[in-house]
Amino acid sequence: MENLILYGVTLLLLVLSFLKDGGKTKNALKKAWKSFYNILPEFLGVIMLVGLLLAVLNPDVISRIIGAESGWLGVVLSAIVGAVTLIPGFVAFPTAAMLLKNGAGYMQIGAFVSTLMMVGVITAPVEIKYFGKRLTVLRNTFAFLFSFLVAYIIGKAVGGA
Amino acid sequence: MKPLLKRFGFLIAAIAAVAAITLFDASLGFKAVNIAGFSLKEMLLVLPPVFVLMGLLDVWVPKEIMIRYMGEGSGVKGIALAILLGSAAAGPLYGAFPVAAVFMRKEVKFTNILIFIGAWSTTKIPMFVFEMSALGTAFAVTRLLVDIPGIIIIAYALAALIPKEEIKALYKNAENL
């Protein structure tokens, strides 16, 4: 659905752009291709690593790590699992909901969801290409630490712990 | 053109890692390749429109307009726009970086680019709706309320920690990406 909207909007704008100025549109497509081509090897490498990590860290393993009563250690581990994995939202949220049902705490799930979205260890090679090493490391470190605050507040506000 | 090894080094290392695992544990290796194939499909689905939109933005929206709305001196308006644009986005975080490169070319303020990245990573509207239905309204709303100030604070902290010359170099580098 999300993709359908994305494609629809892109196509509409592309047609409008072409009607207004064919040369400019060609230029835009050239630029799009050049950027895509430049970053493609990093993307493909990231995807191989994603495959590897998700093969090892399947939902079974994850639920064992952040099961009930895992406490702060569980929060730290969930944050690490979230940071190194790259799972699309439509898989991540149902997985998180399932983990909650199986006894994981809100704090652990909060840490997991937060680092999953904000921290990208395997996507770092792509990020470095655009933002450089120092900024990539700093941004991910801050986001990782910030996720503990998010986990703590979610644990207090939602879990009532 | 960069040397081949620099361009493909990381990809080769990743493939070698998967190949090594496959030798060690075949079923795990095949599973990894399978999942990689699935992610590849997702990537090939999301990235082309993102890059085309970026190209159109690059060609059609003049630098002056981007500077006025999101550049130095754009103030609260720039921050709000960065959050809105990031939240309206679709796709995983890696889709945000190429857009950030276009923003750099258009001289968007550095903190606003970082806020945009933060918003894209965690306050996306389509994801928020999904999060609410899967994990409950209290969970999703609490996370959103903590994340918005968090994103802004992290953006300013990062901008303060990175030397000015390095930011300039990043903007220059964006011209070639």
Side-chain angles (χ1 to χ4, degrees), chain A residues 2-3 6-7 9-10 13-14 16-18 20-21 24-25 27-29 31-56 58 86 88-91 93-94 96-98 100 106 109-110 113-114 117-120 122-123 125-135 138-139 142-143 146 149-150 153-154 157-158, chain B residues 1-2 6-8 10-11 14-15 17-18 21 28 31-33 35-40 42-56 58-60 89-95 97-98 100-101 104-105 110 113-114 117-118 121-122 124 126-128 130-131 134-135 138-139 142-143 146-147 149-151 154 157-158 161-163 166 170 173 175-177:
Chain A
E2 211 181 285
N3 284 329
L6 185 62
Y7 270 82
V9 170
T10 308
L13 290 176
L14 202 59
L16 282 178
S17 165
F18 189 77
K20 218 168 168 211
D21 190 333
K24 259 189 169 177
T25 308
N27 202 357
L29 287 175
K31 283 188 179 198
W33 172 252
K34 192 188 144 212
S35 323
F36 184 62
Y37 178 82
N38 269 333
I39 199 72
L40 195 59
E42 276 82 3
F43 270 132
L44 293 175
V46 163
I47 272 171
M48 289 307 282
L49 292 187
V50 170
L52 201 56
L53 264 160
L54 291 191
V56 178
N58 53 51
L86 184 82
F90 63 88
V91 181
F93 289 131
M98 187 200 78
L100 268 179
Y106 273 99
I109 295 297
V113 169
S114 187
M117 304 186 96
M118 297 183 87
V119 183
I122 24 180
T123 50
V126 175
E127 188 169 351
I128 286 172
K129 236 187 145 180
Y130 290 99
F131 282 105
K133 251 185 212 139
R134 188 194 329 226
L135 191 69
L138 273 177
R139 189 195 73 78
F142 282 1
F146 174 66
L149 179 71
V150 175
I153 294 175
I154 283 183
V158 188
Chain B
M1 267 300 93
K2 324 189 275 184
K6 186 153 188 258
R7 183 163 157 75
F8 291 105
F10 170 62
L11 175 59
I15 291 175
V18 173
I21 295 277
L28 192 66
K31 212 168 142 201
V33 172
I35 297 169
F38 178 81
S39 313
L40 182 70
E42 204 215 355
M43 188 192 97
L44 289 180
L45 201 64
V46 172
L47 283 184
V50 170
F51 276 95
V52 169
L53 285 177
M54 244 177 59
L56 290 173
D58 209 349
V59 172
W60 283 108
L93 181 59
Y94 53 64
F97 301 129
M104 285 181 190
R105 272 181 248 157
F110 192 56
I113 293 180
L114 293 172
I117 294 280
S121 75
T122 193
K124 276 197 301 266
M127 280 297 127
F128 179 70
F130 198 37
E131 183 177 351
L135 295 173
F139 187 97
T142 306
R143 213 172 64 80
V146 182
D147 274 345
I151 288 166
I154 289 177
L158 287 173
L161 281 172
I162 302 284
E166 196 171 322
L170 288 176
N173 177 43
E175 299 288 337
N176 308 314
L177 282 169

